[in-house]
Amino acid sequence: MSARERREALTGYAFVAPSALGVGLFVLLPMLLAFGLSFTSVNSFGQIDFVGWDNYRRMFADPQFAHSMRVTALYVGVFMPGVYFTALGMALLVNGDLPARAFFRTAFFAPYSVSLVVVALVWRYLLSDRIGAVGTVLRSMGVTPPSFLGDPDVALWTVTGISIWFLVGFYMIILLGGLQDIPRELYEAARLDGAGPWRTLVDIVLPMLRPTTFFVLILATIAGLAGLQAFDLVYVMTQGGPDRSTSIGIYFIYEQAFRFDQFGYASAVATWYAFALIVLTGAAFRLTGGGRFGHDDR
């Protein structure tokens, strides 16, 4: 290696070092500590006892854990396609010749800039059974509103809808960037060939958007499974209820650790969660070729 190549390598490492240090200290180290803690039992006084694989055996025999996994699967199954298709539609809209396009881009992204706790408090008030604005409007139209946060059959879908509303602007910006990377010449060629909007979308936009789509779907899946935004909504709006219908996996972990003082058991569930996310993400990269879905788009 020449002196110039060594300098370039050192420069690259210097740029990467702060991020690598942050990931090591705030991601990898806590994960390793949680993995070690998952083999212990910790009481309220800080006494630590080694229990081996007991926490993992308990986890797979725990019906509440199984229930939280089902709730998480339902949440992700609706959240991921819902946020993707809504964000794609919004991105296509603001990428076209829309009047006041800059205003709509800002308006669509605006909810994501608000504190999620504030969002949860506002929506909890709006959806309140007796005084909520949403129920009042529906009753004035002759429609009997459901108990959005009090009905076990409705509460999870309410939280899911608010999650989509909150995050869709963020994913819209990512997809908009992908749309703007598509060469304009392809649109001109499609127009000259007589292709309509639908054929242009299917034959040009979606194929060229594959890597961006893959990135968005991976982010949405991780966000859904990890409950990064849903936790705040569940904690503020439903506390996992009613009848544990909104007890997603991340809230279950919180309950075990900070409500029931089962830090070892919570660490075991968190470790299993992290392992599942890594495996699913790796499988997605393997199966799709990092978003190319079996095609070489170079």
Side-chain angles (χ1 to χ4, degrees), residues 124-138:
R124 188 176 69 177
Y125 175 77
L126 292 174
L127 297 173
S128 175
D129 289 343
R130 295 184 179 179
I131 62 173
V134 175
T136 301
V137 170
L138 290 176

Side-chain angles (χ1 to χ4, degrees), residues 97-120:
D97 297 327
L98 181 71
R101 183 171 56 183
F103 167 77
F104 283 104
R105 288 180 181 179
T106 303
F108 290 156
F109 184 77
Y112 186 72
S113 63
V114 181
S115 167
L116 194 52
V117 174
V118 174
V119 168

Side-chain angles (χ1 to χ4, degrees), residues 249-272:
I250 193 69
Y251 188 79
F252 177 78
I253 294 171
Y254 160 79
E255 280 189 314
Q256 299 306 313
F258 300 105
R259 182 170 293 179
F260 306 130
D261 292 330
Q262 300 289 321
F263 291 100
Y265 182 48
S267 297
V269 178
T271 299
W272 181 88

Side-chain angles (χ1 to χ4, degrees), residues 182-239:
I182 299 175
R184 304 303 301 178
E185 293 81 2
L186 295 179
Y187 293 110
E188 292 295 328
R191 185 178 61 82
L192 292 174
D193 287 341
W198 176 251
R199 295 310 309 173
T200 301
L201 175 66
V202 172
D203 294 338
I204 294 177
V205 175
L206 294 181
M208 294 296 294
L209 208 60
R210 280 193 191 112
T212 308
T213 295
F214 174 76
F215 180 68
V216 166
L217 292 178
I218 287 293
L219 281 184
T221 301
I222 293 174
L225 288 173
L228 300 178
Q229 284 75 31
F231 173 82
D232 300 66
L233 298 176
V234 169
Y235 182 83
V236 174
M237 298 174 67
T238 65
Q239 293 284 301

